[in-house]
Amino acid sequence: MKANVIGLTLLLFVLSACETRPAPIESSLADALDTITEEKLSAHLTYLADDSLEGREAGQPGYGLAATYVTEQYAEMGLEPGGSDGWYQQVPLATYLLDPDSPTMIVHRDGIDTALKYKEQFAMSGDQVRGEDLVRAEVVYVGFGVHAPDVGYSDYDGVDVEGKIVALFDNAPSTLPGDSRAHYSSRRVKAQEAVSRGAIGSIALRSKRSVESYPWDRVRQTAGKKPGMAWVDLSGAASGYFPEILGSVYLSVDAATQMMAGTPMSFAGARAATESDTPASVPLGIEVTLARKTTHERIESPNVIGVVRGTDPELTDEYVIFSAHLDHTGIGEPVEGSTDKINNGAYDNAMGIALMLEAARAIAAAPPRRSVMFIGLTAEEKGLLGSDYFAHYPTVPSASIVANVNLDMPLFLFPVAELVGFGAEHSSLQAPMSAAAAAEGFVLAPDPMPEENFFVRSDQYSFVKQGIPSSYLDVTLRSSDPEIDGAALVKDHLKNHYHKPSDDLSRPVDWDSAVRFARANARIGFAIANDDDRPTWNEGDFFGEMFAPED
Ligand SMILES: [Zn+2]
């Protein structure tokens, strides 16, 4: 562990003492930070969240306008293009759209076949590659579907899922330590586990938490409306694709209750077992048929990349990466009583891009020793695709990337008291992030909601999986005004505005908090990029050991 309080003081020294650089439009750290203003942040937000950008969906014209805007900003700030094609790294994407007449689910029990109703009782997405799927197999209930031998937990002990369809809940047992709980909660990790044991299909069951956070009405409303997406690798294969899985379905609570009634495990019994973290896996003694047809298209959508060149010849080939997703969910469904269909994504994530752009402006005004790369990411809303593609095919050598700081939907609904660096506690990033927060009048608080696993749920995790120390900078629920219930305002935003047309320019913004957040974010960049040492994972850290074991 190193003390980056020293780093910040050193930085001022380095900025004034370094003579190896040519002397361009260089200013002091304070002057650089002072370039960040409400007017500039608000101008980005106003452009990016405008109706004319139609919700910036990856692959759509509105995203193209947003991408062009970001390149113009980079150019004006004096950044170098950092893509594989100028400012752009085109991400090849495969779309897959379910044929709306095709989704089929039939439960076979004691010689009786019961067909369930698509959208009313179940939802599914298309297959990433195949045009047509049909599978009939026995169903095995597997709890959370977690196999975590490192912590002595397994939902697969004593059950055989070879050639079977697994039925499982989301998340992972609360008895797992936070880091491994986050890791084992990942759908991809669960799918990998199931497939390695020979499973050929999956049925997702709804926990109380998923019922509360995403009512079935919204599942029904959005099911089948938009194509899913995967990125395509150099050999043409879709990312994260498990060809072994011939069908997957998402069941409403009613349908799950009906399907599991009279089997060795009722739905209510299964849910109670997961709530008490008890593995209770058991073959259900029923068979299910799943079928679907899917149509596919190939498109591309760019990550938008600019670089502030580092001034130290020894360190200029190392990169600190700032990222924020530039895409949103495009044109969607109006809420009742409104005709507005455009998901403007003002907070999600035009705000993150605005903050990142102003960090770029400040850092370009006083270039640090290492290079700093800024990426407006595509297709986050389609499953972190732009970041995952970049992390697999970085435009600079992977080993030269020293850290990632990501921004995703910071909410300034009230005067903010605290920042949080999700995942910062896993690496030496904690120190510069704490110092930067403090310098702007914030406290860097510990993760207030570890059970939400935010660290593994946004774009920084694509970098973590490549072994790069990373963090996701955000605000907590606490207001500096004791009269304001920050948690209530955030809850209201998530329930009534998140991923809806009303996440638009009418949402309130506490600009004083936003400006100080932007300054803190830029300070983090200065501190990491000027430090003598590159960031490291903490000794014995779960993510460090998992993804960067040679360190
Ligand atoms: Zn979103």
Side-chain angles (χ1 to χ4, degrees):
M1 284 269 278
K2 58 189 184 294
N4 264 69
V5 191
I6 302 171
L8 271 178
T9 334
L10 254 183
L11 143 67
L12 291 166
F13 171 76
V14 166
L15 284 174
S16 54
C18 181
E19 282 166 32
T20 53
R21 281 163 294 165
I25 32 94
E26 199 176 290
S27 41
S28 72
L29 174 63
D31 288 346
L33 292 173
D34 284 344
T35 64
I36 300 174
T37 63
E38 170 183 338
E39 290 65 36
K40 294 195 190 106
L41 290 170
S42 146
H44 301 315
L45 193 72
T46 303
Y47 181 79
L48 293 169
D50 192 83
D51 277 356
S52 61
L53 272 70
E54 297 181 326
R56 307 185 303 279
E57 184 167 18
Q60 298 298 317
Y63 183 86
L65 292 174
T68 302
Y69 177 80
V70 171
T71 64
E72 288 165 359
Q73 294 297 314
Y74 285 162
E76 187 199 310
M77 293 168 187
L79 272 60
E80 294 176 9
S84 43
D85 173 18
W87 301 106
Y88 288 165
Q89 176 188 44
Q90 288 293 351
V91 178
L93 297 165
T95 71
Y96 48 101
L97 183 64
L98 194 62
D99 171 346
D101 298 323
S102 72
T104 303
M105 176 170 180
I106 303 167
V107 179
H108 311 278
R109 176 173 27 215
D110 306 329
I112 298 167
D113 300 342
T114 312
L116 301 188
K117 288 199 185 79
Y118 175 52
K119 292 193 184 186
E120 298 308 310
Q121 295 182 290
F122 72 93
M124 61 169 72
S125 70
D127 186 86
Q128 280 158 272
V129 174
R130 286 183 296 260
E132 210 166 331
D133 286 305
L134 170 65
V135 60
R136 175 174 173 162
E138 288 172 36
V139 182
V140 179
Y141 168 69
V142 293
F144 294 107
V146 165
H147 177 66
D150 50 326
V151 290
Y153 181 94
S154 183
D155 283 311
Y156 284 101
D157 283 350
V159 288
D160 175 12
V161 300
E162 172 88 48
K164 311 276 167 63
I165 294 171
V166 292
L168 72 172
F169 283 96
D170 54 12
N171 216 319
S174 66
T175 46
L176 264 55
D179 307 339
S180 59
R181 187 181 190 198
H183 174 73
Y184 288 113
S185 295
S186 144
R187 276 186 215 162
R188 199 173 289 189
V189 170
K190 290 185 183 196
Q192 183 74 58
E193 187 63 44
V195 160
S196 75
R197 292 165 181 275
I200 58 171
S202 73
I203 298 175
L205 304 172
R206 311 201 78 209
S207 65
K208 271 194 185 135
R209 237 195 38 216
S210 55
V211 170
E212 276 160 19
S213 63
Y214 208 76
W216 189 259
D217 265 359
R218 287 194 69 184
V219 178
R220 177 170 36 210
Q221 247 182 25
T222 52
K225 287 264 163 63
K226 298 241 178 183
M229 282 189 199
W231 59 261
V232 178
D233 73 14
L234 298 180
S235 74
S239 63
Y241 180 56
F242 294 97
E244 300 88 346
I245 297 290
L246 302 174
S248 6
V249 66
Y250 191 47
L251 270 195
S252 74
V253 167
D254 289 347
T257 305
Q258 187 183 329
M259 178 186 82
M260 296 170 80
T263 75
M265 178 62 77
S266 71
F267 175 74
R271 196 161 71 173
T274 54
E275 278 161 14
S276 62
D277 300 317
T278 325
S281 304
V282 63
L284 294 182
I286 56 172
E287 291 186 3
V288 157
T289 294
L290 301 176
R292 63 185 165 193
K293 287 181 187 164
T294 309
T295 53
H296 302 91
E297 241 183 277
R298 285 290 179 89
I299 60 167
E300 52 179 26
S301 179
N303 289 327
V304 189
I305 309 173
V307 171
V308 173
R309 183 55 53 198
T311 54
D312 184 333
E314 300 280 307
L315 297 178
T316 188
D317 292 330
E318 292 187 357
Y319 295 83
V320 177
I321 293 189
F322 279 87
S323 58
H325 74 86
L326 180 59
D327 72 307
H328 191 52
T329 57
I331 295 174
E333 293 301 306
V335 292
E336 229 175 82
S338 162
T339 53
D340 185 4
K341 285 184 159 194
I342 299 172
N343 293 315
N344 305 83
Y347 268 118
D348 184 11
N349 187 31
M351 182 60 88
I353 291 287
L355 296 163
M356 183 184 79
L357 286 175
E358 288 312 304
R361 188 193 307 278
I363 289 171
R369 297 168 68 195
R370 287 188 180 80
S371 296
V372 184
M373 178 178 273
F374 298 87
I375 314 181
L377 293 163
T378 189
E380 185 272 351
E381 302 285 9
K382 310 297 182 188
L384 315 184
L385 300 182
S387 59
D388 197 46
Y389 186 80
F390 181 88
H392 280 81
Y393 301 104
T395 55
V396 293
S398 189
S400 71
I401 302 171
V402 306
N404 169 241
V405 179
N406 185 54
L407 303 177
D408 191 356
M409 203 177 93
L411 298 174
F412 304 107
L413 300 169
F414 49 81
V416 167
E418 298 171 336
L419 305 187
V420 55
F422 292 109
E425 70 276 16
H426 297 289
S427 70
S428 61
L429 294 177
Q430 174 91 25
M433 293 182 78
S434 295
E440 295 300 335
F442 298 110
V443 169
L444 190 80
D447 185 346
M449 290 166 284
E451 70 283 2
E452 291 285 344
N453 303 324
F454 285 126
F455 184 46
V456 306
R457 283 172 52 190
S458 192
D459 287 308
Q460 72 287 337
Y461 201 53
S462 297
F463 293 91
V464 171
K465 287 195 287 183
Q466 304 299 319
I468 298 161
S470 304
S471 183
Y472 159 16
L473 184 67
D474 202 354
V475 305
T476 73
L477 307 175
R478 207 162 73 76
S479 174
S480 54
D481 180 346
E483 301 288 298
I484 294 175
D485 182 351
L489 292 174
V490 169
K491 198 173 167 193
D492 168 72
H493 183 88
L494 295 179
K495 181 157 184 261
N496 299 314
H497 307 289
Y498 169 74
H499 280 205
K500 290 184 177 167
S502 61
D503 177 11
D504 63 13
L505 295 167
S506 67
R507 297 297 293 145
V509 177
D510 184 79
W511 285 107
D512 173 64
S513 299
V515 168
R516 287 187 295 122
F517 182 108
R519 291 170 58 100
N521 185 44
R523 280 180 189 274
I524 292 168
F526 282 117
I528 304 170
N530 277 317
D531 199 334
D532 286 343
D533 301 316
R534 57 191 284 171
T536 51
W537 292 100
N538 295 341
E539 193 69 38
D541 182 77
F542 176 84
F543 296 105
E545 299 277 303
M546 177 80 75
F547 299 118
E550 67 277 7
D551 284 348

